[in-house]
């Protein structure tokens, strides 16, 4: 139970993400298959599908047991007023009414949406740039930089938070650096500043996500047909033109994947915020994840925490479906 | 297009199947109502003050990391070699959040530190210590204010009265540490009235020193606020508010004075610029480096401060209008879980806390002893000796008040976010007090 509300958003959103390739395929099959039956591949088709389910069974069972059922349990708990210990009482939709009318919740959702800029857009833009510059096709250039940039993905987010908390402190490395380059007047305790705390936390997210985006894009670049680059070059395209004409369109699927992962991370953000600011100063960096944690473990309102978790997972599912619609459709 | 509903119905079937599976799973886990299978009424019955003669193990779970409980456990083991003490430490944040689960599990410890009663009493997770208090005569050994902090009504909402739920193992007290070097340089003597205190602040500011060191990342501006409230309204009245007595309010002359003062100090530049981004240990480090004339902090950091700036620090209780000494403080307190396997042994350990031997151990490890405070002595020049003097004065005047953060589950978060906003100039004193009172009403209604 302890970690259920925290895990939910990620798990649920993941559920909402169709397996890559599967969905569009099924759709075109259905569309094409309906008017002309001849396209159906005969009686063997249903049997094949059954076999497919058999292959899926182990993963599906595990997924149901460790993601599906806990999520449903969370939904169930959201209908109770429960302090986590004594017997709960059924309150129907009261918890939802409570969390949806709470102004603190609205602010936290806005903060989470704003984090999409830091966790998602910025790392994707930077990742594309870096992949084009250091990734290069046809070779494994700069393996060291790639490893270094991927490191944030390997470090636990709590450790990331603690480290950045030191770096942002009054005498931390960020302020030391500013002083060293003569910007001593800009120094401040970044995480305690009402204007800058949000940006400071957001940039930690950028740092964490950048490596992932870079690696995904580099892998994608390897896959782009080299003849396209040759053709572009013959047509007299420079590196910039080449990037926009060949690399960017070729990375469409990878951008979609990176977008999905990073947007989920932004909306479900918790660890970094909790460790660095705890939602402060005031409530300037609160995100739904922090509120869920507070409701469940500080306030002893497990039901309300579960309701908020369900609302958050619904929001994430919606946003991710939207992303898939945009990036998944081919023209 | 018509294939879409088909797919949807397949999905619905899958969903229904999952729901059924979920329901089955839940039923198997012991009832569909959450918490329905938790502990029954706490055990009562005959208690014994006799210790086991064979070998036995006493398990303690705690978030106390000063080493006091560990040292007490060693001393207890030395006295009773057949008894082993298994001390399990968890960091404070995680500890409170997992405590209820630990207490309700079948492997419940024999003693558990309570940072606050929380839902433990209401959920019958800890047992009443009334029988043990009677058997050991604790009422005569402890001052009433010390034990009263751990009394509560059976629903755990009204504190300070009712059954006893935990025994103290050493106290902390919050007061004002001051930098003796800066004070001497500016000709400031330890202030004994509020007016003298304010004059010292102004003098420090004028001389280019930081008047008050503060780390407010985790909301420790509440120490300043509460010190002023306690000193202005008096301990009895403030305790009523902390204990959740019906009709109590924070919108008193003391409350107003406190909130106004904090906002005022922030405006005048009496507080460090980065206060909202600095945590308590960070502010202690700055203070021992000589930044700040005063630091509102608890006795738990006295050894840290003494080590870093030996002989350069003094301690005083915040001077109030009435001239009576007040202090914020509570004890490290241990409760016996309802499911404890060795409750008698646990109670014997609690009784060991009020011996002269335990008093010296508590003092040496940074806590103020629960009894025999007059017999303990620290090293020459250690600020702990001044803290002990302040502690004695607070006890003499019945001036001990539990932490504001302990008044209900959410008050700590409220004090943090509202204190940060007050210092940052985002809200005024009025809104600060409103937020505190609203939280209080929600927690105690």
């Amino acid at each position: 139970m302890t970690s259920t509300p925290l895990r939910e958003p990620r798990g649920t959103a993941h559920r909402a993400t169709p397996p890559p390739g599967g969905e569009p395929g099924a759709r075109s099959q259905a569309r094409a298959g309906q008017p002309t039956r001849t396209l159906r591949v005969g009686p063997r088709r249903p049997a094949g599908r059954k076999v497919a389910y058999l292959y899926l069974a182990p993963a599906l069972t595990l997924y149901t047991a460790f993601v599906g059922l806990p999520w449903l349990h969370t939904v169930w708990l959201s209908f109770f007023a429960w302090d986590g210990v004594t017997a709960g009482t059924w309150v129907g939709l009261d918890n939802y009414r409570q969390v949806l009318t709470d102004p603190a919740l609205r602010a936290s959702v806005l903060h989470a949406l704003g984090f999409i800029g830091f966790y998602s857009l910025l790392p994707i833009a930077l990742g594309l740039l870096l992949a084009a510059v250091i990734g290069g096709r046809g070779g494994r250039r700069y393996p060291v930089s790639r490893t270094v940039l991927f490191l944030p993905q390997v470090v636990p987010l709590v450790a990331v938070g603690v480290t950045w908390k030191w770096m942002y402190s009054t005498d931390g490395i960020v302020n030391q650096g500013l002083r060293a380059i003569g910007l001593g007047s800009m120094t401040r305790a970044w995480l305690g500043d009402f204007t800058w705390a949000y940006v400071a936390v957001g940039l930690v997210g950028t740092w964490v996500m950048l490596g992932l985006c870079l690696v995904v894009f580099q892998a994608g670049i390897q896959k782009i047909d080299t003849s396209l680059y040759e053709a572009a070059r013959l047509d007299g395209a420079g590196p910039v033109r080449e990037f926009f004409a060949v690399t960017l369109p070729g990375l469409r699927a990878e951008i979609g994947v990176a977008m999905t992962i990073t947007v989920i991370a932004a909306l479900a953000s918790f660890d970094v915020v909790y460790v660095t600011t705890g939602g402060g100063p005031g409530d300037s960096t609160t995100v739904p994840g922090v509120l869920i944690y507070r409701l469940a473990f500080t306030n002893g309102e497990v039901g309300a925490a579960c309701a908020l978790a369900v609302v958050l997972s619904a929001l994430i599912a919606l946003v991710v479906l939207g992303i898939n619609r945009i990036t998944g459709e081919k023209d | 297009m018509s294939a879409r509903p088909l797919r949807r119905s397949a999905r619905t079937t899958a969903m229904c199947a999952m729901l059924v599976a979920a329901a089955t799973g839940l039923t198997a886990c012991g009832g569909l109502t959450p918490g329905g299978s938790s502990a029954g009424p706490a055990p009562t019955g005959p208690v014994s003050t006799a210790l086991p003669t064979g070998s036995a193990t006493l398990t303690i779970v705690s978030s106390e990391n000063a080493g006091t409980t560990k040292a007490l456990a060693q001393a207890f083991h030395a006295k009773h070699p057949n008894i082993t003490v298994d001390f399990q430490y968890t960091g404070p944040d995680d500890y409170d959040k997992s405590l209820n689960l630990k207490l309700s599990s079948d492997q419940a410890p024999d003693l558990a530190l309570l940072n606050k009663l929380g839902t433990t009493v209401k959920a019958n997770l800890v047992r009443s210590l009334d029988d043990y208090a009677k058997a050991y005569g604790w009422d005569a050994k402890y001052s009433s204010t010390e034990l009263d902090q751990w009394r509560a009504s059976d629903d755990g909402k009204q504190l300070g009265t009712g059954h006893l739920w935990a025994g103290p193992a050493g106290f902390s007290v919050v007061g004002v540490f001051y930098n003796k070097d800066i004070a001497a340089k500016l000709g400031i003597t330890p202030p004994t009235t509020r007016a003298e205190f304010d004059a010292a602040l102004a003098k420090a500011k004028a001389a280019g020193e930081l008047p008050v060191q503060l780390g407010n990342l985790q909301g420790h501006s509440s120490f300043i606020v509460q010190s002023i409230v306690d000193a202005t309204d008096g301990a009895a009245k403030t305790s009523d508010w902390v204990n959740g007595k019906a009709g109590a309010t924070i919108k008193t002359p003391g409350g107003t004075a406190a909130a106004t003062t904090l906002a005022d100090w922030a405006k005048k530049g009496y507080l460090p610029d980065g206060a909202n981004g600095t945590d308590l240990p960070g502010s202690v480090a700055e203070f021992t480096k000589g930044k700040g004339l005063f630091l509102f902090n608890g006795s738990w950091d006295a050894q840290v401060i003494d080590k870093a700036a030996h002989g350069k620090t003094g301690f005083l209780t915040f001077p109030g209008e009435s001239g009576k000494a007040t202090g914020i403080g509570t004890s490290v307190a241990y409760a016996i879980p309802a499911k404890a396997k060795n409750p008698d042994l646990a109670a014997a350990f609690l009784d060991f806390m009020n011996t002269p031997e335990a008093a010296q151990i508590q003092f040496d490890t940074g806590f103020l002893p629960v009894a025999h405070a007059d017999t303990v002595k620290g090293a020459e020049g250690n600020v702990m000796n001044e803290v002990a003097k302040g502690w004695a004065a607070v006890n003499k005047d019945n001036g001990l008040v539990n932490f504001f953060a302990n008044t209900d589950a959410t008050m700590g978060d409220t004090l943090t976010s509202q204190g940060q906003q007050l210092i940052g100039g985002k809200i005024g004193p009025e809104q600060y007090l409103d937020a505190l009172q609203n939280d209080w009403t929600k927690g105690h209604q």
Side-chain angles (χ1 to χ4, degrees):
Chain A
M1 179 53 240
T2 4
S3 58
T4 310
L6 293 178
R7 293 241 178 94
E8 278 332 295
R10 214 161 282 188
T12 335
H14 194 59
R15 245 180 89 235
T17 319
E23 186 104 317
R27 197 179 295 162
S28 61
Q29 157 75 27
R31 272 187 199 150
Q34 218 41 41
T36 47
R37 278 200 328 185
T38 45
L39 269 181
R40 289 213 143 203
V41 198
R44 274 173 54 218
R45 187 80 191 167
R49 191 162 274 190
K50 261 180 209 151
V51 172
Y53 278 124
L54 204 62
Y55 282 117
L56 279 177
L60 210 61
T61 314
L62 283 176
Y63 202 73
T64 311
F66 292 105
V67 181
L69 292 182
W71 187 75
L72 286 173
H73 192 197
T74 305
V75 174
W76 177 249
L77 288 179
S78 71
F79 300 120
F80 286 88
W82 187 40
D83 61 11
V85 188
T86 52
T89 43
W90 177 270
V91 293
L93 291 173
D94 266 10
N95 287 326
Y96 288 93
R97 215 163 291 142
Q98 186 198 330
V99 301
L100 289 175
T101 51
D102 185 359
L105 171 81
R106 234 166 292 147
S108 73
V109 169
L110 284 181
H111 292 151
L113 289 172
F115 272 160
I116 292 179
F118 288 106
Y119 276 68
S120 196
L121 304 182
L122 210 51
I124 287 177
L126 288 173
L128 281 170
L129 188 72
L130 279 170
V133 174
I134 74 167
R137 68 214 153 74
R140 287 153 199 266
R141 283 193 272 159
Y142 309 105
V144 175
S145 2
R146 189 164 52 172
T147 312
V148 169
L149 284 165
F150 191 67
L151 264 183
Q153 278 293 316
V154 183
V155 183
L157 283 179
V158 172
V160 168
V162 171
T163 315
W164 277 90
K165 194 165 134 187
W166 291 337
M167 297 205 284
Y168 277 136
S169 70
T170 318
D171 289 327
I173 199 161
V174 173
N175 285 328
Q176 283 174 24
L178 284 173
R179 270 181 221 119
I181 56 169
L183 290 174
S185 59
M186 297 258 313
T187 57
R188 64 197 73 218
W190 295 91
L191 296 172
D193 191 288
F194 277 90
T195 320
W196 289 98
Y198 183 75
V199 178
V201 173
L203 287 174
V204 178
T206 309
W207 181 78
V208 171
M209 290 300 157
L210 177 58
L212 177 82
C213 293
L214 175 65
V215 170
V216 169
F217 296 152
Q218 271 191 306
I221 288 180
Q222 312 291 326
K223 190 194 73 179
I224 297 174
D225 193 347
T226 43
S227 60
L228 289 175
Y229 284 100
E230 277 156 27
R233 196 139 304 166
L234 283 177
D235 286 344
V240 176
R241 192 70 194 280
E242 198 181 272
F243 173 77
F244 282 105
V246 183
T247 311
L248 205 53
L251 286 179
R252 188 186 180 121
E254 281 76 15
I255 293 173
V257 169
M259 193 97 180
T260 308
I261 294 173
T262 54
V263 164
I264 292 171
L267 293 177
S269 57
F270 168 73
D271 333 43
V272 170
V273 178
Y274 183 75
V275 172
T276 51
T277 65
D283 59 357
S284 55
T285 58
T286 49
V287 286
V290 170
L291 290 185
I292 291 169
Y293 186 72
R294 268 191 209 159
L295 280 171
F297 298 105
T298 310
N299 305 11
E301 298 177 50
V302 178
C306 290
L308 182 48
V310 171
V311 171
L312 179 63
S313 44
L315 177 74
I316 292 176
L318 272 177
V319 173
V320 170
L321 281 177
I323 291 173
N324 282 350
R325 189 141 285 197
I326 294 165
T327 59
E329 256 170 329
K330 302 262 176 207
D331 34 354
Chain B
M1 287 308 284
S2 53
R4 295 206 115 192
L6 248 178
R7 280 202 316 134
R8 197 167 295 159
S9 82
R11 207 174 268 177
T12 319
T13 318
M15 196 69 186
C16 289
M18 266 166 90
L19 272 169
V20 170
T24 324
L26 283 171
T27 324
C29 291
L32 281 166
T33 305
S37 59
S38 63
T44 47
V47 299
S48 161
T49 57
L51 283 169
T53 46
S55 66
T57 303
L58 177 73
T59 39
I60 305 177
V61 295
S62 181
S63 65
E64 183 268 297
N65 62 355
T68 307
T69 314
K70 241 180 178 168
L72 288 167
Q74 273 161 10
F76 190 74
H77 175 65
K79 219 170 164 182
H80 310 284
N82 58 323
I83 293 160
T84 320
V85 183
D86 177 13
F87 178 79
Q88 300 164 8
Y89 168 77
T90 312
D93 280 357
D94 304 325
Y95 180 83
D96 278 357
K97 268 129 204 172
S98 62
L99 180 62
N100 281 347
L101 289 174
K102 273 187 200 134
L103 294 180
S104 56
S105 84
D106 287 334
Q107 268 83 46
D110 297 313
L111 278 172
L113 178 136
L114 292 187
N115 287 310
K116 54 190 169 204
L117 286 178
T119 47
T120 51
V121 171
K122 188 175 142 205
N124 294 323
L125 291 173
V126 293
R127 63 182 289 162
S128 154
L129 301 182
D130 290 355
D131 291 341
Y132 288 115
K134 212 163 140 201
Y136 282 108
W138 288 344
D139 286 332
K141 287 177 185 165
Y142 295 87
S143 77
S144 67
T145 47
E146 288 184 351
L147 286 188
D148 281 354
Q149 285 201 338
W150 296 101
R151 292 187 194 281
S153 55
D154 286 349
D155 64 2
K157 279 196 173 169
Q158 166 84 55
L159 308 176
T161 176
H163 297 301
L164 179 69
W165 299 103
F171 278 82
S172 309
V173 68
V174 173
V176 189
F177 290 87
Y178 65 94
N179 184 318
K180 283 183 172 172
D181 286 353
I182 298 177
K185 195 177 76 184
L186 302 179
I188 295 168
T189 49
T192 53
T193 64
R194 179 64 197 277
E196 282 176 30
F197 193 87
D198 288 346
L201 294 174
K203 212 171 192 175
K205 180 70 188 170
E209 295 286 351
L210 174 70
V212 178
Q213 181 57 252
L214 170 69
N216 198 32
L217 184 65
Q218 302 137 321
H220 286 102
S221 62
S222 69
F223 288 169
I224 297 177
V225 170
Q226 189 179 351
S227 292
I228 298 174
V229 179
D230 291 353
T232 312
D233 292 344
K237 194 171 172 187
T238 317
S239 288
D240 281 349
W241 190 74
V242 176
N243 289 338
K245 194 170 177 185
T249 176
I250 190 65
K251 294 173 170 184
T252 58
T256 309
T260 315
T261 302
L262 183 62
D264 190 43
W265 286 2
K267 218 177 289 160
K268 284 181 175 161
Y270 284 6
L271 307 174
D273 282 338
N276 277 341
T278 310
D279 56 12
L280 186 66
S283 66
V284 170
E286 291 288 297
F287 178 73
T288 56
K289 275 191 248 161
K291 284 180 205 158
L293 172 62
F294 294 119
L295 171 73
F296 288 74
N297 196 8
S299 49
W300 56 82
D301 274 332
Q303 301 288 21
V304 177
I305 291 171
D306 190 69
K307 213 175 196 176
H310 180 71
K312 292 178 180 167
T313 316
F315 180 89
L316 51 103
T317 57
F318 187 76
E321 315 288 329
S322 61
K324 287 202 168 177
T326 54
I328 314 162
T330 185
S331 53
V332 175
Y334 286 93
I336 304 181
K339 288 191 169 180
K341 299 206 173 50
N342 307 301
D344 290 343
L345 178 55
F349 185 74
L350 285 181
D351 188 59
F352 173 69
M353 303 297 176
N354 58 50
T355 60
E357 189 189 354
Q360 186 63 45
I361 292 172
Q362 288 154 4
F363 188 69
D364 287 345
T365 47
F367 285 94
L368 296 152
V370 297
H372 309 285
D374 48 337
T375 69
V376 297
K377 211 172 156 36
E380 190 66 29
N382 191 324
V383 68
M384 249 334 244
N385 291 322
E386 289 192 36
V387 177
K389 236 184 269 168
W391 168 242
V394 167
N395 268 337
K396 194 176 120 265
D397 289 349
N398 263 327
L400 192 67
V401 186
N402 203 335
F403 291 83
F404 274 7
N406 288 345
T407 185
D408 63 44
T410 53
M411 192 58 83
D413 285 337
T414 303
L415 285 167
T416 303
S417 96
Q418 300 298 318
Q420 288 171 343
Q421 296 187 57
L422 185 64
I423 286 177
K426 299 279 164 187
I427 57 168
E430 190 82 5
Q431 286 157 286
Y432 177 84
L433 294 176
D434 280 344
L436 260 54
Q437 189 60 28
N438 286 344
D439 189 314
W440 187 92
T441 309
K442 210 178 138 212
H444 293 288
Q445 70 194 352

